[in-house]
Structures are given as structure tokens and as C-alpha cells.
Amino acid sequence: PASIDFLLVTHAHIDHVGRIPKLVRDGFHGKIISTPQTLDLSRLMLPDAFSVLRSELPHGEEPMYDEKDIAEAFSLWETRDYHEPFQVGEFEVVMKDSGHILGSAMMAIRQHGGERSIVFTGDLGNTPTPLLKPAETITDATYMVMESVYGDRNHEGGERRKERLAEVISASVERGGTLLIPCFSLEKTQVLLYEMDDLLAQGKIPKVPVFLDSPLAIKVTDVYRRYTGFFNAEAQEHLRKGNDIFSFPNLRITMDAQASTEIVHTQSPKIIIAGSGMSAGGRILDHERRYLGDPSNTILFIGYQAIGGLGRHIQEGVKDITIKHERVKVRAHIETITGYSSHKDSEHLVEFASAGAETFQQIFVVMGEPKSALFLAQRIHDYVGVSTQVPVMGERVEIEL
């Protein structure tokens, strides 16, 4: 790590920034560069992740980093705006909007004065996204390293996604139950609040208590409020009309733990939005333990569920689960809406790759589960006509810039 001069950060999701403090602890003292929004969000995400990490460690085990390493990371952090060229050694870098979450960026890198370039996409935003502008197109790169999380499947369309949300909420209310929505604090929660606000305004869902039970999501939403200029035209039009797109009359904010525990005293029907999005920790676990055993209740997944995780087990229909050492019978209705993914699906990933077909020499497909990555690589090769490669652990490739 001490030999690294620059760290370019695509966005603030914890699977992309979570080990930065460990890099610092292990000797990194170069520059960290991202958009201003990514820095502001990382100031929330990293301390929160450390709190979770520390609470889940076996007794006596030391964490991989501490608060001092987080503070040191932020002392090394600089920001650049989209399309503002900057130098990293002999290379010039330009960040382009990837449309994934607020401040997310693709890194376009070329040797100073050179014509050939490589683009690292990071995560690519779903199309269309309710809040943000779409990912910019890449038309002049030589190489691209692109994500493939949904490389082998497609999402529900935007309108159908919203219709499904209204259907799930209405059915849950009709049963008189509690609707649980495990939700990622960053981007998913803000999009969900925006869409629920619109559905309520149109009278398409019943007006019942909605609890936002996630301190991190509440803080992240405040960051989103500061950067509304980066929203798409439709969201900005709502704002111009004076609409608070992240709030509505029946929304209740539960910042502290005591308020969270008191949600149980509010009679159903009600809706609880809580983290974490994969049921890997956070307040959603207490709610799942309390409500999953009742067939009048519903759990709705609107984000990716990692293989082997609790959320994935529930989503796939496992009826006996363990939450905080307690056995729980799953009798609640289980629903999934794929359209709320913040990632491009297979069709749009191929479309994204095709925009630069005339200049791409090779595309490296990364990040997805193996079947997703391999499927996408084959589709790009067959339909776009560009050479593709799915790198494996430890593989090294030389490219010419």
C-alpha cells in the first residue's frame, strides 16, 4: 500500500469504500480522489460501517482498522467535479457521471497527450433512474472495465415497478398487516421515498403510517437534499413546484433506538423501511424477528440479495431462519421488485457497451456473479462485436495506452 500514489473512488457504496481505512492502516499515504458528493456520503458510510464491524467482531478480536485510520483517510481525500481533468502521475483522468447513486463516477484514464484510454465504469446506474440523470455514454475509449451485476437478467420497467409497489402496499394494507422493506440507506431509500410520495399524491396507495427506521438513511437523505442540481429533469420539476420529494404527511422518522422499539405499539396496517438492505444487520433484523411469523405481514425486497445472506434465504422461500440466535418461522408474504435496482440490467449493459463499439479494442467484464459476468461477456461479443474477457483471480493483463 505504501507504493500506491493515487486511489480513485467511483462512489460511496460500502462495498467500494469499506476497506479504504485498512489501506491507510497498511501504509497508504497517497491522494484519494472522488467527486464532492462521494466524499460527503463516505463521511457517513465509513463511520457507520466501522460501528457495525466493531459490534460483530468476536470477543477479543481487533478490527482491521479504527477511527484514527478513518480520520487519516479523510485527511488524504480530495475532490474533483465531473469533466474536470486532473493529473495522476503521467496520466490524465476525467470523471463522468455513471448514474448509479449521487456522485457516482466512471474513471476515464489516458496517458497525458495520448489518444488511447481505459474507462473503469464502477457501478452503472439503472435506466431510467427515478432521481438521477442517466449514465453518460462512452464512445471513444480503447479499453473498458465494466460491471455485470445484472448481466444475465432484466429488470421490470419503470412504470411497472411503480405499479408493483402500489400493488404490494395496497395488498398489505388490505390484509391489515405490516409491510417490511429492507432498504439500503444510500440511494434505494431516497428513491423509495420519492416514489411513495408521488403515489400518495396521486391517491394510488392508502395513507398509513410509514416509518423510516434508519439513522444512516436519514442522514444520507439530508446529503441528497444538498445536491438537488444533480437530479434529473422530472425530479427537479417536482422540486420547483415546492414538493418535498423525500417526505409526506404520514412519514415518521425514528432516529433513536427508543423510537425504533416503540414502532411495535403503532397498530397495523403500517410500513417499516429499515436497513440493512440485505438483512445483514441493523434495525430490520428486529422487525423481521417480530413480524415474519405472521401470514398477514409482508416483506418486500427491492435490492440485490447476496448469495448466502439472510435476505437471499428469505427471498428464496426458506421457512426456518435464525435471527440473533432466535429461530423464526417465515409465514409472511414474500415479494420482490427488481425494477428498483441501481444497476443497469443485461439489455442496458449491452446497449451501453455498443455505444463505443467502434473504438473498443477489448472489454473486461467484472463484479457480477460468475454466471452473470460470463453471460454478459458472451452477449457483448456476439451482439456488439467487441472482444471480451472475464478476468479470474490472480490473472494479469497487459494493455497498451
Side-chain angles (χ1 to χ4, degrees):
S3 68
I4 301 170
D5 298 315
F6 297 92
L7 175 65
L8 307 180
V9 181
T10 59
H11 66 288
H13 271 146
I14 204 63
D15 57 322
H16 291 256
V17 299
R19 289 192 176 220
I20 290 176
K22 173 173 168 51
L23 192 73
V24 170
R25 167 170 279 200
D26 292 347
F28 173 81
H29 48 78
K31 288 184 179 180
I32 302 172
I33 302 173
S34 76
T35 62
Q37 300 93 327
T38 293
L39 172 56
D40 286 354
L41 291 168
S42 296
R43 289 190 188 279
L44 300 175
M45 300 297 287
L46 284 173
D48 181 81
F50 178 69
S51 177
V52 174
L53 176 68
R54 185 169 50 186
S55 68
E56 294 183 350
L57 279 176
H59 181 70
E61 186 172 324
E62 289 296 314
M64 67 176 73
Y65 59 83
D66 58 27
E67 289 99 330
K68 289 184 296 183
D69 301 311
I70 297 175
E72 175 67 15
F74 289 129
S75 75
L76 301 172
W77 209 305
E78 299 179 2
T79 63
R80 302 289 189 279
D81 293 325
Y82 291 130
H83 309 127
E84 176 189 349
F86 58 93
Q87 294 298 123
V88 290
E90 62 185 291
F91 298 98
E92 179 182 270
V93 181
V94 174
M95 293 190 287
K96 299 186 177 184
D97 192 347
S98 71
H100 175 59
I101 65 170
L102 183 67
S104 59
M106 296 177 275
M107 302 292 175
I109 304 171
R110 69 178 71 241
Q111 201 157 30
H112 188 61
E115 296 183 358
R116 297 164 67 84
S117 66
I118 182 168
V119 171
F120 293 84
T121 67
D123 289 348
L124 290 166
N126 195 2
T127 304
T129 176
L131 273 179
L132 302 177
K133 298 171 185 176
E136 297 181 64
T137 54
I138 301 298
T139 59
D140 59 353
T142 315
Y143 304 98
M144 183 162 69
V145 179
M146 71 178 292
E147 66 116 322
S148 60
V149 172
Y150 285 90
D152 63 343
R153 54 209 187 277
N154 291 322
H155 305 317
E156 294 163 310
E159 281 307 308
R160 180 55 187 150
R161 171 197 68 215
K162 209 168 181 177
E163 289 172 6
R164 285 274 295 125
L165 178 62
E167 289 167 3
V168 171
I169 291 174
S170 297
S172 177
V173 171
E174 191 173 327
R175 284 192 294 269
T178 295
L179 171 61
L180 302 181
I181 308 180
C183 202
F184 294 97
S185 299
L186 178 47
E187 184 69 17
K188 287 286 193 305
T189 295
Q190 292 72 43
V191 167
L192 184 62
L193 293 176
Y194 176 44
E195 300 245 288
M196 290 179 72
D197 174 57
D198 192 44
L199 289 171
L200 280 163
Q202 296 180 52
K204 292 185 176 180
I205 57 175
K207 191 175 179 180
V208 298
V210 179
F211 293 91
L212 178 54
D213 191 29
S214 169
L216 180 59
I218 295 164
K219 294 173 186 175
V220 167
T221 303
D222 288 340
V223 174
Y224 269 65
R225 292 181 196 276
R226 298 205 301 268
Y227 288 105
T228 55
F230 292 86
F231 294 175
N232 61 33
E234 183 179 351
Q236 292 199 45
E237 180 61 25
H238 281 288
L239 290 165
R240 276 192 291 272
K241 292 177 179 177
N243 183 17
D244 184 346
I245 62 176
F246 299 128
S247 186
F248 36 87
N250 49 317
L251 179 65
R252 305 181 188 182
I253 305 297
T254 53
M255 192 70 177
D256 61 74
Q258 180 63 32
S260 177
T261 60
E262 291 175 357
I263 292 174
V264 69
H265 300 307
T266 298
Q267 188 175 348
S268 295
K270 61 191 173 190
I271 300 169
I272 303 172
I273 304 167
S276 68
M278 294 187 194
S279 300
R283 293 182 181 178
I284 193 64
L285 294 179
D286 290 322
H287 298 304
E288 288 173 345
R289 184 171 56 178
R290 181 174 293 118
Y291 293 106
L292 284 180
D294 187 336
S296 67
N297 297 331
T298 304
I299 184 166
L300 169 62
F301 295 101
I302 64 169
Y304 178 75
Q305 303 300 310
I307 290 177
L310 178 61
R312 185 73 163 250
H313 289 320
I314 298 170
Q315 186 182 48
E316 291 178 341
V318 174
K319 296 302 180 185
D320 289 281
I321 59 174
T322 301
I323 300 177
K324 294 186 174 180
H325 309 293
E326 182 180 324
R327 298 292 293 173
V328 176
K329 292 278 188 182
V330 181
R331 300 185 180 92
H333 291 256
I334 301 166
E335 300 283 354
T336 299
I337 302 177
T338 62
Y340 283 99
S341 171
S342 299
H343 291 260
K344 285 189 185 302
D345 61 14
S346 184
E347 176 185 343
H348 289 102
L349 286 168
V350 173
E351 182 182 286
F352 178 81
S354 68
E358 291 187 8
T359 63
F360 285 137
Q361 183 173 318
Q362 190 157 24
I363 295 176
F364 301 93
V365 180
V366 300
M367 283 183 46
E369 295 172 11
K371 64 185 181 67
S372 298
L374 290 165
F375 183 88
L376 178 64
Q378 190 65 51
R379 286 202 73 198
I380 292 173
H381 180 271
D382 293 346
Y383 292 100
V384 182
V386 175
S387 174
T388 58
Q389 183 173 343
V390 180
V392 298
M393 180 70 76
E395 186 173 5
R396 181 172 296 190
V397 178
E398 287 190 11
I399 63 171
E400 183 183 344
L401 289 182

